[in-house]
Amino acid sequence: MALGQRLELKQGQGLVITPQLQQAIKLLQLSNLELEAVIETELERNPLLQRDDSDPVGEGNDADAHAQAADSGESRELELGDRDTIAANSDLDASASDVYGDDEPVVRERESVVSDSNEGPMVDWSKAGKGGGSFDGDEDMERALTREKTLTEHLTDQALIAHFSAPEMAIAQILIDAVDEAGYMRVPLAEIADRLGCELALVEKVLTACQGFEPTGIMATSVPECLKLQLIERNRFDPAMAALIDNLELLARRDLSALRKVCGVDEEDLSEMIAELKSLNPRPGAAYGAEPSQTVVPDVFVRPDANGGWRIDLNSDTLPRVLVDQKYHAKVATSARSESEKSYLNDCLSQANWLIKSLDQRARTILKVSAEIVRQQDAFFVYGVEYLRPLNLKTVADAVGMHESTISRVTSNKYVATPRGVFELKFFFTSSIASNDGTSAHSAEAVRHKIKTLIDGEKASGEILSDDRIVEILKEAGVDIARRTVAKYREALRIPSSVERKRQIR
């Protein structure tokens, strides 16, 4: 067969993920904190973007209008530049276009993506502590001087007066940096010695000296070593106590008879030893200041509606407020001379418009998916976790007309504040457990709650329920569940077995 070249035309379909589409997908799965970091980067990079620092909620009649809208439970669409509250009821049956429009956004002089709930005016926390926000320089200095000393600073201060040589001080600083919030060494000493190019014996010598710092038990490599250091400081570390520390797993199982044999003591002495052990601090570093933990900020609020349904509002504090400066664009466009300058300016304008459109799409999608989840799990909000229904991504995706991957991205790292607490949106997706009477299936989360309720009621009834007995009770309630599933759920709830629970009562 002869080989040759020829030209052919073929027509086919394919999906090309453009950089703009990649950006929209990325924004969809970001948490509110990650989104704020991305917006800050875009504000620094794109001269046509600027933060909208205007008061999101007007005064006087405008504020009254917002309050009336909240009471009436009205539902409004999110529009670029619109500052009305986004609301949706859980019993919405409108089409997708009623909630999530496909119209192209119109770029205005002060174009912004904003949705304000009735929580009050938005506070721009990105300015706090930078001299232009709610904290001035004097307050920052006072806060820095009066804040609690961290564990690293406390240990460093002691290392400076420990008469270390220069090499030992360098090793001590590396060891201190490797201490976690609880006060334990989590990095192997051999790794530190290899990193610093020194002998392991020298690192161990410095660590031994550092373990004499306050608080007692600090920089231990394990819980038994931490307890040992505290007992030595109290002069209470004898062979019997050493045997007790080496067999903490027996103490955790409340196997007192085995402990008495291992320690070689009677029942009274063992009780005193256990009491002594309970007086120790297994987390010596927890008493010192650390970086403040980030409070979960909900992306969506769910409130009871006046009509008996549920009102869903986007949290305005988590929505970035950015706009395209059209005046600045017009001014710079007239002074652009070369084609490269005009191209750069057009690219900035295009990217700014696409970013605002992506933020608008993100807000609409979160609202739409949240409204559907609330509709599906309405019984949970009314009656509690026992009425949580089985729900998967496909069910929500089919209801809102989106792909399952989109629902997965929307519900990742997004939180909703409800009358029953703050939950991640993924909390409402639970697997199903079949019923033995042919009725609707039960949610796995609801079954776990029933198991916990049964075990919590053991003290009142005086009966310790085995896994087999729990299976029988659940089957009587219509839940078809296997014993191994009960054991798996019990272990996930960190509930010991029935044998260990009996020992705890003795």
Side-chain angles (χ1 to χ4, degrees):
M1 183 178 65
L3 297 177
Q5 295 180 342
R6 62 179 179 178
L7 296 176
E8 289 185 355
L9 293 178
K10 291 185 178 180
Q11 185 177 7
Q13 292 182 341
L15 177 62
V16 179
I17 301 181
T18 62
Q20 291 83 1
L21 183 57
Q22 292 178 359
Q23 181 191 53
I25 295 175
K26 178 182 178 182
L27 294 179
L28 195 60
Q29 62 188 2
L30 295 180
S31 65
N32 49 52
L33 294 177
E34 295 169 337
L35 180 63
E36 181 64 26
V38 171
I39 295 302
E40 287 294 335
T41 303
E42 291 296 324
L43 288 171
E44 294 177 0
R45 188 182 64 83
N46 196 329
L48 298 183
L49 277 175
Q50 70 178 62
R51 187 181 297 276
D52 185 7
D53 295 326
S54 60
D55 190 5
V57 179
E59 299 178 357
N61 296 332
D62 291 339
D64 296 338
H66 280 283
Q68 294 175 3
D71 295 336
S72 62
E74 295 177 356
S75 177
R76 299 181 178 87
E77 291 186 3
L78 172 66
E79 295 181 359
L80 294 177
D82 182 19
R83 293 177 178 176
D84 289 332
T85 303
I86 299 177
N89 291 325
S90 59
D91 55 352
L92 288 177
D93 56 359
S95 63
S97 60
D98 292 333
V99 182
Y100 187 9
D102 296 326
D103 297 336
E104 292 293 329
V106 179
V107 180
R108 302 170 185 162
E109 179 180 342
R110 294 185 59 80
E111 186 175 18
S112 62
V113 179
V114 58
S115 165
D116 300 322
S117 66
N118 297 305
E119 298 301 310
M122 175 182 293
V123 178
D124 188 0
W125 293 106
S126 64
K127 293 185 176 181
K130 296 183 179 180
S134 58
F135 302 109
D136 56 28
D138 294 338
E139 291 178 346
D140 285 341
M141 181 178 296
E142 180 181 356
R143 184 173 55 180
L145 293 176
T146 58
R147 68 174 175 82
E148 187 178 359
K149 183 179 293 187
T150 64
L151 177 62
T152 300
E153 294 171 343
H154 179 68
L155 296 176
T156 302
D157 291 343
Q158 297 181 74
L160 292 174
I161 60 175
H163 303 291
F164 284 136
S165 63
E168 292 175 342
M169 185 63 194
I171 296 174
Q173 192 60 57
I174 296 298
L175 293 174
I176 291 173
D177 291 339
V179 176
D180 65 6
E181 294 181 356
Y184 288 93
M185 283 290 305
R186 297 305 185 187
V187 180
L189 299 184
E191 179 181 332
I192 295 177
D194 182 66
R195 187 196 313 170
L196 297 177
C198 62
E199 296 292 334
L200 177 61
L202 180 59
V203 178
E204 293 175 345
K205 173 186 175 183
V206 175
L207 177 61
T208 302
C210 292
Q211 287 178 344
F213 294 168
E214 291 291 335
T216 306
I218 201 67
M219 300 182 71
T221 57
S222 63
V223 174
E225 184 179 14
C226 176
L227 301 177
K228 175 183 175 181
L229 292 173
Q230 297 181 53
L231 289 170
I232 292 176
E233 194 269 340
R234 296 185 181 186
N235 196 24
R236 289 281 292 132
F237 189 72
D238 52 27
M241 190 65 79
L244 177 59
I245 292 179
D246 291 338
N247 294 274
L248 292 178
E249 68 280 358
L250 296 178
L251 180 60
R253 296 201 304 264
R254 302 291 297 177
D255 193 351
L256 302 183
S257 59
L259 277 176
R260 287 195 295 269
K261 294 179 181 179
V262 170
C263 298
V265 295
D266 56 19
E267 184 175 352
E268 182 179 357
D269 290 338
L270 181 61
S271 299
E272 293 179 357
M273 292 167 60
I274 294 176
E276 181 78 21
L277 208 61
K278 289 181 178 180
S279 66
L280 304 178
N281 183 9
R283 294 172 56 87
Y288 290 85
E291 292 296 327
S293 58
Q294 294 289 344
T295 304
V296 173
V297 179
D299 300 87
V300 181
F301 292 107
V302 175
R303 304 180 180 90
D305 189 86
N307 299 325
W310 298 97
R311 176 183 175 86
I312 298 92
D313 299 312
L314 289 178
N315 184 2
S316 62
D317 289 346
T318 63
L319 296 177
R321 295 165 47 82
V322 294
L323 56 85
V324 177
D325 195 339
Q326 289 290 77
K327 287 185 177 180
Y328 180 71
H329 172 261
K331 180 179 179 181
V332 177
T334 56
S335 60
R337 300 177 181 179
S338 63
E339 289 297 327
S340 60
E341 292 177 354
K342 293 180 181 179
S343 176
Y344 171 74
L345 193 61
N346 291 334
D347 288 343
C348 289
L349 180 61
S350 175
Q351 293 172 7
N353 290 337
W354 184 267
L355 176 63
I356 290 178
K357 179 182 177 181
S358 300
L359 293 174
D360 176 35
Q361 178 178 340
R362 178 181 183 273
R364 291 176 183 270
T365 307
I366 292 175
L367 178 63
K368 186 177 181 180
V369 172
S370 300
E372 178 60 25
I373 291 176
V374 171
R375 190 185 70 83
Q376 294 279 354
Q377 300 289 5
D378 179 75
F380 163 78
F381 297 101
V382 178
Y383 301 109
V385 70
E386 292 186 9
Y387 293 85
L388 198 64
R389 300 168 183 165
L391 185 64
N392 54 35
L393 296 175
K394 188 177 185 303
T395 302
V396 176
D398 294 340
V400 299
M402 298 179 183
H403 196 268
E404 293 180 39
S405 61
T406 303
I407 305 301
S408 178
R409 292 187 180 96
V410 171
T411 54
S412 296
N413 301 316
K414 310 296 188 306
Y415 293 86
V416 53
T418 72
R420 296 192 176 277
V422 179
F423 303 93
E424 189 178 8
L425 286 178
K426 282 191 176 296
F427 167 81
F428 300 100
F429 294 94
T430 61
S431 57
S432 61
I433 297 178
S435 59
N436 54 15
D437 54 3
T439 58
S440 59
H442 301 270
S443 166
E445 189 67 32
V447 173
R448 277 193 287 265
H449 179 75
K450 291 180 180 179
I451 294 174
K452 186 177 185 302
T453 302
L454 289 173
I455 296 177
D456 289 342
E458 290 178 344
K459 294 182 179 179
S461 62
E463 178 188 4
I464 302 299
L465 302 176
S466 64
D467 292 344
D468 291 326
R469 177 56 182 156
I470 293 176
V471 170
E472 295 176 359
I473 295 175
L474 290 178
K475 286 187 176 181
E476 293 174 359
V479 181
D480 187 11
I481 190 171
R483 180 187 179 279
R484 63 179 179 273
T485 306
V486 171
K488 181 179 70 174
Y489 288 172
R490 175 180 53 75
E491 292 173 357
L493 294 170
R494 297 184 178 181
I495 298 176
S497 64
S498 58
V499 176
E500 295 178 359
R501 297 201 303 274
K502 287 179 181 178
R503 290 174 179 170
Q504 292 176 2
I505 294 178
R506 294 174 184 173

